[in-house]
Amino acid sequence: MNLTWWRRSNCRERAEPDLLVDPRALVQAIASGAAIGGVYALVALGICLMWRTTRVFNFAHGDIAIFAAYMAWQFATFTDLPIGVIIVCVCGLTGLGSAMLERVCFRPLYGGSIVPPMLVSVGLYIALESLIRLIWGSIPKSAPTIFGNKSFSIVGIYLVPEVLAVALISIAIALACIIFIARTRLGTALRSCSEDPEVSQLLGINVRGLYRLSFVMAGVLAAISGVLSAPIVGLRPDTGLTLGLSGIIAAAIGGLGSFQGALVGALLLGVLQSGAVLFVDPSFAPVLTYGLLVVVVLVRPAGLFGVPRFAWGAQ
Amino acid sequence: MKKEGRAHSDPELTGAESGMYTTRNSAAVVAQDTSGVWRSSGAMPDRGRAVEGPPVPSLQRTRHDHWDTWFPVLAYLGILASLWGLPAFLSSDFNLYIAVEILILAIAVVGVNIVLGYAGIISFGHGGFLTVGAYASALTMMRLEMSFAVAFAMAVVLSAGCGLLVGLIGRRLHSYLWLLLTFGFAQVVLIVSLNWNITGGSQGLVGVPPPSIGPLSFETTEEFYRLALVALVVCVYVADRLKRSRTGRALIALSQSETVAASSGINVPYHKVLALTISGAYLGVAGSLYAPFISYIDPRTFSTDTTVLLWLMVVLGGAGSSFSPILTLAGFQILIESLRDFGEYWIFIFGVAIIVVTIVAPAGLAGVASSGYRRVRLWLIRIAVRVRGERRSTIERRDRQDGG
């Protein structure tokens, strides 16, 4: 028996993980990246929908999400309602609030340059963040887990049910949104009024109503993403900006205005960020994020899936 | 944007007044309203009148005497003299401290104004330029032990270089991609200064020495006030000359419409990069003064909030003019300092104020002030016409003048 061959090969096998990237860590990064990427996808879809329909570039989207998450935390702390009811309530409230914001802040600015709505959304971001600080204080709150946070392992990969469920749910919702916009009658109307509001109006489409609808949808998406992400990233007043910016970057990588692009960009961003946390210095994750953005933007300025006409907006 | 030619369509105007106003081109109305100290200078707020066209022949007598020439000069000198003597009148050292802070931030506001006010480019990267400038001057003085003059030059060159870099990468990018790129630049600066061992990490650099140029040293707050004032005056003067130059006019044309600017022979990407480089240099000046002033710099001294504050000062104050953003900044800083006790509330009010001003008065506070001035003037004319009872004859005389 030639045992030396067996021994040598066995040794080499054991040595291999030190030389290459550990495949288990890679899968781990992809799994947890997909979860946070799914949350980003919901944020990115909301931003994308709002931009494509109304040409409002919303910086405050992440803060709306975190505000909804705080509301859910408040409900969960002070009432005994089941979590499903709370989520539905919060989604409804945020949708309502978003419709009111549309009426008060953005409707007077439709049809002009894209800069004033952008300014309004920056003001909204500042106001919402300080409102959160005023109501709930700056101390981080720990949001209760929805799906349980006891990790289990499948073939050596550790997964938290919370993370897995968030990934699956948010990707499912994102896909449902994409199908809604691409396949249904209402979605077609939304796309047509993003392409040419005047002609859509002539064809009998209620353009103002659809603007409001897109705001409500974006608000509900924000609420869902806030409630889902809160147990993973924690509830802090400044998470809003991080969440919103990640959504914006994801949407820009995918091509703002393309919904598939938003999903792909968000997943890419999530995997890149969790990969950076696992393999490189965690504090350099934002550098990698913006590096990816710069590379994509220099190679394809309209984004990965973007159509230049939608991506750049009316000048 | 509202056009200035309102006289033709404003239903409030009676026959007499509209007769008075239609004799002149609307641009001439604005020019006369604002002649004096507040020269009409809006690049962004009122697109109808921003580019100075050929002089409009006016049927009114053109008054151009020595007073018109010398009044602005005297006014500037008066303002300068009173600013120079201001430290004697400020009651406490803390007030003087705030005054210096306002002066240094005013330099930054002038720099932001070049990009945002003249060329109409919004950028989130200005906090990054400030940080680069502050660190460059602090590190040159502390680690290399050079003099303040070298540190100052270093800060200006490095900040301008950063502006050049960002401009070169993003010169062909549109709206939100450009915003993201500039924001990314600020984030990268933050992360590098947090994690690089030379910059002292999150503790920052403590004990930045006070500046001295040759025999002059600026150690007390009052001396620093003078230094900052001189720097600000030079900066405002250069920015003003720039605005009147060929390059400045090209930048203003850029803010109106890039397509039109390009079709009339302006190299759009080149001018964007140029504006960003110059603005970077200005913010380098501000940063290199700020670090020795507070004798301390850390990565979070200039955050996104600073950037937003700077460009809101420009937007609220009325983009394109040098003075109203500085006045807005001064008022705002004083307001903040006096409202410190309210803590978080003023940030909330600030956010709401941004929303309200953007919706209600897109031309900024200067626009509100000038339109208010015009409205008051109109009332006065109306009252005068009523009182003197020469409404009918006025109309007839104007008509005769119109007819030639």
Side-chain angles (χ1 to χ4, degrees):
Chain A
M1 275 290 231
N2 195 347
L3 271 178
T4 44
W5 170 83
W6 180 81
R7 250 182 222 137
R8 204 177 292 152
S9 82
N10 200 18
C11 286
R12 202 177 295 148
E13 255 176 31
R14 235 185 274 146
E16 246 170 11
D18 295 338
L19 298 173
L20 289 170
V21 170
D22 188 359
R24 267 184 295 178
L26 195 66
V27 175
Q28 187 83 53
I30 291 173
S32 50
I36 195 69
V39 173
Y40 290 165
L42 291 185
V43 179
L45 273 180
I47 290 167
C48 211
L49 185 67
M50 213 182 264
W51 165 259
R52 192 162 154 176
T53 326
T54 63
R55 291 275 175 262
V56 169
F57 189 73
N58 198 353
F59 269 99
H61 202 82
D63 284 272
I64 295 174
I66 289 300
F67 197 85
Y70 266 101
M71 279 202 290
W73 176 85
Q74 192 78 33
F75 273 123
T77 319
F78 290 101
T79 59
D80 295 331
L81 292 171
I83 190 77
V85 178
I86 291 176
I87 290 178
V88 170
C89 277
V90 165
C91 285
L93 280 176
T94 317
L96 199 68
S98 190
M100 279 161 63
L101 279 183
E102 190 261 351
R103 177 69 195 88
V104 176
C105 300
F106 293 105
R107 195 180 285 180
L109 303 172
Y110 286 152
S113 153
I114 59 165
V115 175
M118 223 186 258
L119 277 178
V120 167
S121 75
V122 170
L124 203 61
Y125 138 67
I126 294 172
L128 271 179
E129 192 177 322
S130 70
L131 193 65
I132 290 173
R133 275 185 217 279
L134 282 173
I135 300 177
W136 288 289
S138 306
I139 304 156
K141 305 250 186 277
S142 63
T145 164
I146 306 173
F147 303 101
N149 50 7
K150 257 210 176 90
S151 66
F152 63 94
S153 73
I154 312 171
V155 287
I157 303 158
Y158 287 92
L159 286 174
V160 185
E162 181 77 52
V163 173
L164 195 65
V166 165
L168 291 179
I169 290 174
S170 50
I171 291 172
I173 291 176
L175 284 175
C177 270
I178 291 172
I179 291 169
F180 163 73
I181 285 154
R183 291 275 180 266
T184 62
R185 203 175 153 78
L186 203 55
T188 314
L190 272 175
R191 277 184 292 137
S192 96
C193 97
S194 74
E195 201 147 327
D196 194 331
E198 285 172 11
V199 172
S200 311
Q201 191 128 36
L202 282 175
L203 291 173
I205 294 170
N206 181 1
V207 173
R208 282 291 160 92
L210 286 182
Y211 280 7
R212 195 182 303 138
L213 177 74
S214 68
F215 262 84
V216 171
M217 274 183 68
V220 171
L221 283 175
I224 296 172
S225 58
V227 171
L228 286 183
S229 67
I232 302 178
V233 295
L235 273 178
R236 267 177 297 125
D238 57 340
T239 2
L241 183 65
T242 330
L243 199 61
L245 268 176
S246 306
I248 289 171
I249 291 170
I253 288 173
L256 203 57
S258 152
F259 300 101
Q260 294 90 327
L263 180 59
V264 173
L267 291 179
L268 206 62
L269 193 65
V271 171
L272 186 80
Q273 283 188 355
S274 64
V277 170
L278 277 183
F279 297 118
V280 203
D281 192 351
S283 58
F284 278 96
V287 176
L288 278 181
T289 308
Y290 288 107
L292 177 68
L293 177 72
V294 167
V295 169
V296 168
V297 151
L298 287 182
V299 177
R300 270 186 74 90
L304 291 178
F305 291 77
V307 184
R309 192 161 37 116
F310 291 138
W312 288 337
Q315 286 290 308
Chain B
M1 292 293 158
K2 279 174 193 150
K3 281 272 155 62
E4 275 310 314
R6 193 188 281 171
H8 303 281
S9 56
D10 196 341
E12 279 179 35
L13 285 174
T14 59
E17 292 136 13
S18 71
M20 289 166 77
Y21 273 79
T22 44
T23 53
R24 289 173 286 170
N25 184 296
S26 51
V29 175
V30 177
Q32 287 207 348
D33 276 355
T34 51
S35 68
V37 189
W38 310 112
R39 200 161 288 267
S40 158
S41 53
M44 236 170 71
D46 279 315
R47 292 183 179 218
R49 63 164 156 111
V51 173
E52 293 167 14
V56 183
S58 164
L59 290 174
Q60 296 272 310
R61 70 195 167 93
T62 45
R63 228 180 46 191
H64 192 81
D65 46 23
H66 292 300
W67 181 242
D68 272 9
T69 318
W70 288 105
F71 180 74
V73 177
L74 286 177
Y76 288 141
L77 285 178
I79 292 171
L80 273 186
S82 51
L83 278 179
W84 189 260
L86 187 67
F89 296 99
L90 287 176
S91 49
S92 70
D93 205 44
F94 181 66
N95 288 349
L96 191 61
Y97 186 87
I98 291 165
V100 180
E101 208 173 2
I102 290 174
L103 287 182
I104 294 174
L105 282 180
I107 297 173
V109 164
V110 174
V112 173
N113 197 16
I114 290 173
V115 162
L116 178 59
Y118 296 0
I121 305 167
I122 296 185
S123 153
F124 266 121
H126 292 299
F129 297 142
L130 273 172
T131 311
V132 168
Y135 267 109
S137 88
L139 287 175
T140 314
M141 282 198 285
M142 290 171 72
R143 298 266 195 269
L144 302 179
E145 294 177 350
M146 302 277 206
S147 70
F148 177 70
V150 180
F152 181 80
M154 194 81 155
V156 173
V157 167
L158 273 180
S159 280
C162 284
L164 186 70
L165 184 73
V166 173
L168 282 180
I169 294 177
R171 68 193 187 283
R172 290 188 196 281
L173 295 183
H174 287 253
S175 52
Y176 63 90
L177 284 177
W178 165 253
L179 275 185
L180 281 181
L181 184 80
T182 51
F183 196 90
F185 167 73
Q187 289 292 308
V188 169
V189 168
L190 172 71
I191 290 157
V192 168
S193 56
L194 270 176
N195 292 302
W196 200 17
N197 52 5
I198 299 176
T199 57
S202 58
Q203 265 97 49
L205 293 170
V206 187
V208 182
S212 59
I213 304 168
L216 301 168
S217 79
F218 304 94
E219 280 174 11
T220 65
T221 320
E222 195 173 334
E223 286 161 351
F224 215 103
Y225 177 89
R226 301 269 149 78
L227 175 70
L229 184 63
V230 169
L232 176 63
V233 168
V234 172
C235 283
V236 168
Y237 180 74
V238 171
D240 206 46
R241 296 302 301 174
L242 177 76
K243 193 169 85 179
R244 283 142 204 267
S245 73
R246 191 182 169 81
T247 313
R249 288 202 301 275
L251 291 181
I252 292 171
L254 212 70
S255 80
Q256 316 259 311
S257 161
E258 285 187 14
T259 319
V260 174
S263 66
S264 51
I266 294 167
N267 187 346
V268 174
Y270 167 79
H271 279 93
K272 274 188 177 174
V273 175
L274 189 69
L276 225 74
T277 312
I278 297 171
S279 173
Y282 268 82
L283 288 150
V285 172
S288 71
L289 286 176
Y290 200 85
F293 172 57
I294 58 172
S295 76
Y296 167 72
I297 175 77
D298 80 355
R300 290 203 168 76
T301 310
F302 303 112
S303 57
T304 318
D305 293 354
T306 319
T307 315
V308 172
L309 176 86
L310 289 179
W311 57 257
L312 284 171
M313 288 310 110
V314 172
V315 171
L316 293 184
S321 98
S322 295
F323 286 96
S324 37
I326 293 178
L327 278 182
T328 317
L329 174 79
F332 187 75
Q333 288 287 332
I334 293 167
L335 197 70
I336 288 178
E337 293 303 333
S338 48
L339 291 183
R340 275 247 180 258
D341 301 338
F342 288 91
E344 192 62 42
Y345 282 100
W346 77 258
I347 302 181
F348 179 67
I349 294 166
F350 180 49
V352 174
I354 295 163
I355 300 174
V356 171
V357 169
T358 317
I359 294 172
V360 177
L365 296 181
V368 172
S370 81
S371 78
Y373 172 74
R374 239 175 292 149
R375 198 162 293 169
V376 168
R377 201 179 124 119
L378 214 61
W379 285 338
L380 288 180
I381 291 173
R382 196 174 288 172
I383 290 166
V385 166
R386 289 261 163 78
V387 167
R388 284 156 66 189
E390 47 180 21
R391 187 182 194 126
R392 202 181 164 78
S393 58
T394 318
I395 298 171
E396 282 164 4
R397 196 168 67 235
R398 296 290 163 201
D399 281 352
R400 266 205 304 282
Q401 278 185 358
D402 268 355

